[in-house]
Structures are given as C-alpha cells and as structure tokens.
C-alpha cells in the first residue's frame, strides 16, 4: 500500500505563485508516489469573516485551480473540507486534549490576531482543525510551504499527547518542504511571505493574472541599491526574483549563478517575466476548460468526498471509542 499525503489551501483571496511553488506544484509531482488527498479548507477560511456568495465562488475556483495545476482527480482526491463532517468533529475531540498555551504560541495566530479588533475563537483553534485534517486520514506526509512548519510541529505534539493518554491511535505525520520555493516572498515587501491576504496591488502574482499584469508587477518588484546581480551582497528582493525564476525554469544552482551574475536588474526581471508567463500559461488554459464545465467539477468534488468519507468516519469512531464515548449509531 502506498503511503498517504494530505495537504490543503484556504479558498480565500487569489491563489498566487507562492501557493503554487510552495504547495500545488509539489503535490502534482508527489501524487504518483502517494495516495493523495488535497483539501479546499473552507472551514479554515471562515475563521475570519467571508462574504458567503464570494466564499462559495472561491471554493469552486480553488478546486478548479488544483486540477489546472496538475492534480489528477483520477489519481488524487480533491476534497472540500466542509463536505466531510468528520474534520470538524475530530477537531473538537482534539481541542479537548490541546493546552491553550500551545495555541497562543503560534506565530500565525499572533500575527493575525494583532490585525483584528475582536479575535474569534476559531482563529485560536485553527491549528487544531489543521491537525484534525491531517490525522483524520492518518497521513504519513504533509507537503506544505515553510510557513506551515510550526503548525505541523503542533499536529505531531497533539497526536503524541493523544496517543500517550489513550493508546496508539494516530500515525505521526512528517513535513515535506519543496527544495526551491518553500517560501516565496512578497514582490513589494520581500521581508514578508507572499500571502493572499496582503493588500498591496503589486504584492503577489495570481495564478490567473494575465501576462500584461504579471509583467507590470514583476517590473515594479522591490530590488536593492546594487546596479546588477551580485550573489554575495544581493538583498531579499533580488534573491526572491531569482528563486521565482529558478522554481519556474527548473534550472540548477550553477546555471542560475552563471547566467545571472552581473546582469542588470531590468534584464533579470525580463527573464523572470518570461519564466512566470510560460509557467502559468498551461495552467490558465486548463483552468478555462474546467470552469466551462461546472458539472465536471461538481462530480469530482462529490466523488472525492464519497471516496474519503469511510476512512474519515473510521478514524473518528476509533478516537471516540478510545475516549469512551459513543460512536455514531
Ligand atoms: N509565500 C509562500 N511561499 C511558499 N508557500 C506558500 N504557501 C502559502 N504562501 C506561501 C503554501 O500554500 C499552501 C496554502 O496556504 P494558505 O491557503 O494558508 O495560503 P496563504 O497565501 O498563506 O493564505 P492567506 O489567507 O493569506 O493566509 P495568511 O494570512 O496566513 O498568509 C500552504 O501549503 C502554504 O504553506
């Protein structure tokens, strides 16, 4: 039997090249070596207010983008989290074994809470729901970008604590980061990770951005005061552009170094534009095909939920019986 992987994306904002390079591109490669479950984590999205109609549209858009980025629904399950009730149920059961101090320490919670006037309980408990997403499928491996490493540590801590208190129940999941593109930074603020929720118009490159917009954003990307690429002294903005180029082109370190050393920033940026436009073109083409056939997408989501539901229910029942409470009739 193949080992299992699980990962997810929130259906918020516009998916960007950080999501692609940090997560989706890696998933598409790994799906042939693992039994794969990829989730649109809509229950995570509602930890902050979402317009209901817009959220529904984003759920479908995210699912379509998974497939456009190379996830093959015959090979992998494309699961909307809210269609499998066990995620929320297991999250509650795990919340009861999780000390609140563990959650208050999460840097993503601290960052997001600092931006809210009133902090919802869901925002604090978000990492427990993420632990439930992973543990419900007894996933062996979780391919994510580097920003999720702390949450993965917490998932292991929760699993260990449950196993120690109630007996061996959960598989211990490993984190798997991509070799290039594990942390793509904002084009306008290269000290911060590229994020869907950031507001600057030139912050991120959306997977559905047209070539003219991609060009405009990259040509305006923050660099530094050097006149040309110097690998010894370059700042985070230039390093980020080179990472993006390398991740899209697949060039090795030596080729990247010899090609870009001494190149003026305008030329560096033109190279990056070409690589990104060429990399996104087939994704955008496939996306247009998928959205032209909404029945196909609905079928994929329904079949995927039906495929994973028995497994999710079995884990929830195992956990409930370990805790000494009733399982579903
Ligand atoms: N900048 C990034 N570089 C590499 N990987 C990234 N991921 C996210 N940003 C980067 C990876 O994408 C997957 C989905 O993450 P997400 O849905 O949390 O995306 P986001 O862009 O981080 O979304 P938000 O809504 O803007 O969240 P915050 O506000 O937390 O940044 C994950 O595998 C993630 O590692």
């Amino acid at each position: 039997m193949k080992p299992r992987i699980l990962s997810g994306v929130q259906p918020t904002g516009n998916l960007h090249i950080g999501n692609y390079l940090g997560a989706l591109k890696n998933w598409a490669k790994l799906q042939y070596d693992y039994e794969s479950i990829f989730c649109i984590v809509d229950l995570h999205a509602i930890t902050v207010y979402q317009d209901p109609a817009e959220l529904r549209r984003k759920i479908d858009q995210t699912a379509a983008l998974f497939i456009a980025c190379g996830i093959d629904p015959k090979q992998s399950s494309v699961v909307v989290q809210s269609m499998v009730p066990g995620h929320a149920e297991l999250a509650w059961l795990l919340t009861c074994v999780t000390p609140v101090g563990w959650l208050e320490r999460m840097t993503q919670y601290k960052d997001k809470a600092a931006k809210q006037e009133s902090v919802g309980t869901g925002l604090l408990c978000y990492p427990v729901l993420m632990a439930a997403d992973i543990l419900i499928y007894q996933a062996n491996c979780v391919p994510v970008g580097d920003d999720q490493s702390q949450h993965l540590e917490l998932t292991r801590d929760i699993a260990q604590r449950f196993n120690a208190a109630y007996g061996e129940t959960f598989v211990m999941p490993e984190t798997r980061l991509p070799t290039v593109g594990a942390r793509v930074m904002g084009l306008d603020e290269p000290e911060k990770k590229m994020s869907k929720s950031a507001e600057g118009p030139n912050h991120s490159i959306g997977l559905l951005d047209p070539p003219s917009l991609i060009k405009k954003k990259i040509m305006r990307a923050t660099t530094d005061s050097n006149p040309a690429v110097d690998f010894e002294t370059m700042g985070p903005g230039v390093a980020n552009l080179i990472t993006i180029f390398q991740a899209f082109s697949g060039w090795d370190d030596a080729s990247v170094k010899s090609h870009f050393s001494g190149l003026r920033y305008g030329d560096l940026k033109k190279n990056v534009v070409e690589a990104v436009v060429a990399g996104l073109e087939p994704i955008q083409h496939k996306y247009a095909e998928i959205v032209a056939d909404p029945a196909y997408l609905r079928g994929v989501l329904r079949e995927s939920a039906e495929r994973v539901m028995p497994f999710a229910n079995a884990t929830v029942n195992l956990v409930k019986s370990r805790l000494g409470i009733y399982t579903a009739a």
Side-chain angles (χ1 to χ4, degrees):
M1 212 174 73
K2 286 182 184 172
R4 185 173 294 132
I5 55 174
L6 176 290
S7 200
V9 173
Q10 297 185 64
T12 51
N14 290 321
L15 262 68
H16 51 71
I17 58 170
N19 301 128
Y20 177 61
L21 300 176
L24 292 159
K25 185 167 178 255
N26 210 12
W27 301 355
K29 263 192 264 155
L30 293 170
Q31 67 183 333
Y32 299 102
D33 297 329
Y34 292 85
E35 185 192 330
S36 306
I37 302 169
F38 300 119
C39 293
I40 295 100
V41 288
D42 51 353
L43 298 177
H44 287 272
I46 58 171
T47 53
V48 291
Y49 176 79
Q50 307 291 337
D51 174 75
E54 179 65 2
L55 177 60
R56 191 53 180 264
R57 198 180 72 76
K58 287 285 175 191
I59 292 169
D60 290 347
Q61 184 187 74
T62 306
L65 275 170
F66 279 17
I67 300 168
C69 287
I71 306 303
D72 176 358
K74 293 202 188 77
Q75 188 74 30
S76 306
S77 301
V78 177
V79 175
V80 177
Q81 186 187 28
S82 58
M83 289 172 77
V84 182
H87 287 250
E89 190 172 7
L90 183 59
W92 171 252
L93 302 175
L94 296 178
T95 300
C96 296
V97 299
T98 306
V100 72
W102 288 8
L103 302 178
E104 285 169 335
R105 274 203 302 275
M106 294 294 111
T107 47
Q108 211 172 81
Y109 166 71
K110 286 195 272 188
D111 289 349
K112 287 195 177 178
K115 292 182 202 151
Q116 316 274 326
E117 259 177 46
S118 156
V119 179
T121 312
L123 199 58
L124 178 70
C125 296
Y126 172 114
V128 187
L129 179 57
M130 181 167 159
D133 299 337
I134 297 164
L135 299 175
I136 201 166
Y137 299 114
Q138 306 282 12
N140 307 88
C141 176
V142 187
V144 282
D146 181 43
D147 60 314
Q148 293 301 329
S149 297
Q150 195 187 29
H151 289 160
L152 259 298
E153 260 321 302
L154 183 83
T155 297
R156 279 190 289 274
D157 288 344
I158 294 172
Q160 246 152 18
R161 195 175 168 99
F162 190 95
N163 285 354
Y166 298 102
E168 256 344 272
T169 305
F170 295 118
V171 167
M172 223 40 74
E174 297 300 324
T175 308
R176 176 144 179 174
L177 302 179
T179 42
V180 183
R183 185 173 283 255
V184 177
M185 310 309 280
L187 295 181
D188 54 349
E189 282 184 296
E191 305 76 24
K192 293 193 183 153
K193 75 155 190 146
M194 189 176 281
S195 154
K196 294 190 229 98
S197 52
E199 274 161 17
N202 298 319
H203 172 82
S204 64
I205 297 175
L207 296 185
L208 298 175
D209 282 354
S212 57
L213 187 57
I214 295 172
K215 183 173 179 195
K216 189 166 129 198
K217 289 178 178 176
I218 293 176
M219 296 313 281
R220 290 185 183 175
T222 301
T223 50
D224 53 45
S225 56
N226 289 344
V229 178
D230 176 346
F231 279 84
E232 301 306 316
T233 61
M234 67 187 175
V238 176
N240 190 40
L241 288 172
I242 290 177
T243 298
I244 293 170
F245 176 88
Q246 189 170 7
F248 272 102
S249 67
W251 286 19
D252 61 25
D253 290 347
S255 312
V256 166
K257 209 161 180 180
S258 79
H259 180 75
F260 286 110
S261 287
L263 206 67
R264 299 189 72 79
Y265 288 161
D267 292 325
L268 161 68
K269 287 177 171 177
K270 281 184 198 149
N271 278 254
V272 180
V273 171
E274 273 172 30
V276 175
V277 168
L280 295 188
E281 197 275 329
I283 293 173
Q284 296 180 353
H285 183 77
K286 178 92 182 153
Y287 176 81
E289 281 178 6
I290 297 163
V291 294
D293 185 359
Y296 164 74
L297 192 63
R298 274 198 301 277
V300 167
L301 298 181
R302 201 188 47 247
E303 279 168 30
S304 291
E306 282 167 4
R307 196 182 307 147
V308 301
M309 197 97 75
F311 200 89
N313 290 344
T315 305
V316 172
N317 283 339
L318 173 65
V319 171
K320 288 169 101 177
S321 68
R322 290 271 199 266
L323 288 164
I325 61 178
Y326 278 99
T327 57

Tab-separated table of all heavy atoms in Angstrom, residues 230-249:
chain	number	residue	atom	x	y	z
A	230	ASP	N	24.526	40.532	-7.783
A	230	ASP	CA	25.754	40.106	-7.117
A	230	ASP	C	25.326	39.087	-6.055
A	230	ASP	O	24.672	39.451	-5.068
A	230	ASP	CB	26.437	41.331	-6.483
A	230	ASP	CG	27.685	40.936	-5.693
A	230	ASP	OD1	27.867	39.729	-5.423
A	230	ASP	OD2	28.466	41.842	-5.340
A	231	PHE	N	25.660	37.815	-6.270
A	231	PHE	CA	25.161	36.757	-5.379
A	231	PHE	C	25.674	36.893	-3.941
A	231	PHE	O	25.077	36.353	-3.024
A	231	PHE	CB	25.486	35.373	-5.953
A	231	PHE	CG	24.502	34.953	-7.017
A	231	PHE	CD1	24.668	35.367	-8.339
A	231	PHE	CD2	23.394	34.181	-6.697
A	231	PHE	CE1	23.747	35.011	-9.312
A	231	PHE	CE2	22.469	33.822	-7.668
A	231	PHE	CZ	22.631	34.240	-8.983
A	232	GLU	N	26.795	37.623	-3.755
A	232	GLU	CA	27.350	37.779	-2.398
A	232	GLU	C	26.563	38.807	-1.590
A	232	GLU	O	26.386	38.650	-0.389
A	232	GLU	CB	28.824	38.240	-2.453
A	232	GLU	CG	29.761	37.297	-3.211
A	232	GLU	CD	29.689	35.873	-2.690
A	232	GLU	OE1	29.680	35.694	-1.464
A	232	GLU	OE2	29.597	34.939	-3.514
A	233	THR	N	26.115	39.884	-2.263
A	233	THR	CA	25.555	41.011	-1.494
A	233	THR	C	24.072	41.275	-1.779
A	233	THR	O	23.523	42.237	-1.269
A	233	THR	CB	26.334	42.309	-1.828
A	233	THR	OG1	26.190	42.570	-3.233
A	233	THR	CG2	27.804	42.199	-1.478
A	234	MET	N	23.453	40.422	-2.597
A	234	MET	CA	22.077	40.785	-3.019
A	234	MET	C	21.101	40.795	-1.829
A	234	MET	O	21.217	40.007	-0.895
A	234	MET	CB	21.570	39.846	-4.104
A	234	MET	CG	21.348	38.434	-3.688
A	234	MET	SD	20.964	37.490	-5.181
A	234	MET	CE	20.885	35.856	-4.489
A	235	GLY	N	20.114	41.697	-1.925
A	235	GLY	CA	19.095	41.821	-0.888
A	235	GLY	C	17.970	40.811	-1.120
A	235	GLY	O	17.968	40.083	-2.122
A	236	PRO	N	16.966	40.784	-0.204
A	236	PRO	CA	15.908	39.773	-0.279
A	236	PRO	C	15.023	39.885	-1.527
A	236	PRO	O	14.506	38.878	-2.007
A	236	PRO	CB	15.092	40.016	0.986
A	236	PRO	CG	15.426	41.392	1.439
A	236	PRO	CD	16.819	41.680	0.966
A	237	GLY	N	14.871	41.116	-2.076
A	237	GLY	CA	14.013	41.277	-3.256
A	237	GLY	C	14.617	40.588	-4.473
A	237	GLY	O	13.921	39.879	-5.219
A	238	VAL	N	15.917	40.764	-4.670
A	238	VAL	CA	16.595	40.141	-5.816
A	238	VAL	C	16.650	38.617	-5.608
A	238	VAL	O	16.374	37.835	-6.529
A	238	VAL	CB	18.013	40.742	-5.989
A	238	VAL	CG1	18.759	40.037	-7.115
A	238	VAL	CG2	17.904	42.235	-6.276
A	239	ALA	N	16.971	38.220	-4.377
A	239	ALA	CA	17.021	36.776	-4.079
A	239	ALA	C	15.669	36.129	-4.375
A	239	ALA	O	15.592	35.022	-4.935
A	239	ALA	CB	17.403	36.559	-2.618
A	240	ASN	N	14.589	36.846	-4.040
A	240	ASN	CA	13.241	36.307	-4.267
A	240	ASN	C	12.958	36.151	-5.765
A	240	ASN	O	12.420	35.136	-6.209
A	240	ASN	CB	12.221	37.255	-3.618
A	240	ASN	CG	10.829	36.691	-3.577
A	240	ASN	OD1	10.630	35.506	-3.310
A	240	ASN	ND2	9.840	37.522	-3.857
A	241	LEU	N	13.365	37.159	-6.555
A	241	LEU	CA	13.137	37.064	-8.013
A	241	LEU	C	13.898	35.880	-8.593
A	241	LEU	O	13.397	35.154	-9.460
A	241	LEU	CB	13.578	38.374	-8.696
A	241	LEU	CG	12.673	39.589	-8.442
A	241	LEU	CD1	13.300	40.865	-9.003
A	241	LEU	CD2	11.283	39.366	-9.057
A	242	ILE	N	15.112	35.662	-8.083
A	242	ILE	CA	15.903	34.535	-8.591
A	242	ILE	C	15.275	33.206	-8.175
A	242	ILE	O	15.198	32.263	-8.971
A	242	ILE	CB	17.376	34.679	-8.137
A	242	ILE	CG1	17.998	35.859	-8.912
A	242	ILE	CG2	18.159	33.394	-8.365
A	242	ILE	CD1	19.402	36.214	-8.557
A	243	THR	N	14.763	33.146	-6.956
A	243	THR	CA	14.062	31.925	-6.509
A	243	THR	C	12.873	31.639	-7.420
A	243	THR	O	12.643	30.496	-7.840
A	243	THR	CB	13.544	32.101	-5.060
A	243	THR	OG1	14.652	32.299	-4.208
A	243	THR	CG2	12.746	30.900	-4.594
A	244	ILE	N	12.101	32.697	-7.718
A	244	ILE	CA	10.912	32.509	-8.567
A	244	ILE	C	11.346	32.002	-9.947
A	244	ILE	O	10.775	31.050	-10.488
A	244	ILE	CB	10.110	33.832	-8.679
A	244	ILE	CG1	9.508	34.197	-7.313
A	244	ILE	CG2	9.020	33.738	-9.743
A	244	ILE	CD1	8.894	35.599	-7.233
A	245	PHE	N	12.392	32.629	-10.494
A	245	PHE	CA	12.875	32.180	-11.811
A	245	PHE	C	13.280	30.710	-11.749
A	245	PHE	O	12.887	29.900	-12.592
A	245	PHE	CB	14.080	33.035	-12.266
A	245	PHE	CG	14.655	32.531	-13.553
A	245	PHE	CD1	14.154	32.982	-14.772
A	245	PHE	CD2	15.658	31.560	-13.566
A	245	PHE	CE1	14.650	32.476	-15.977
A	245	PHE	CE2	16.149	31.045	-14.760
A	245	PHE	CZ	15.650	31.520	-15.966
A	246	GLN	N	14.075	30.372	-10.731
A	246	GLN	CA	14.612	29.008	-10.655
A	246	GLN	C	13.489	27.981	-10.485
A	246	GLN	O	13.509	26.915	-11.102
A	246	GLN	CB	15.607	28.916	-9.491
A	246	GLN	CG	16.346	27.588	-9.498
A	246	GLN	CD	17.516	27.543	-8.527
A	246	GLN	OE1	17.723	28.462	-7.731
A	246	GLN	NE2	18.274	26.467	-8.597
A	247	ALA	N	12.499	28.334	-9.654
A	247	ALA	CA	11.412	27.381	-9.409
A	247	ALA	C	10.595	27.156	-10.679
A	247	ALA	O	10.174	26.034	-10.971
A	247	ALA	CB	10.524	27.891	-8.287
A	248	PHE	N	10.382	28.211	-11.476
A	248	PHE	CA	9.600	28.032	-12.710
A	248	PHE	C	10.420	27.384	-13.813
A	248	PHE	O	9.907	26.581	-14.578
A	248	PHE	CB	9.035	29.374	-13.193
A	248	PHE	CG	7.701	29.693	-12.575
A	248	PHE	CD1	7.600	30.592	-11.530
A	248	PHE	CD2	6.542	29.068	-13.022
A	248	PHE	CE1	6.377	30.869	-10.931
A	248	PHE	CE2	5.307	29.340	-12.434
A	248	PHE	CZ	5.229	30.249	-11.388
A	249	SER	N	11.709	27.746	-13.905
A	249	SER	CA	12.517	27.251	-15.031
A	249	SER	C	13.064	25.849	-14.778
A	249	SER	O	13.341	25.113	-15.717
A	249	SER	CB	13.699	28.199	-15.282
A	249	SER	OG	14.583	28.135	-14.169
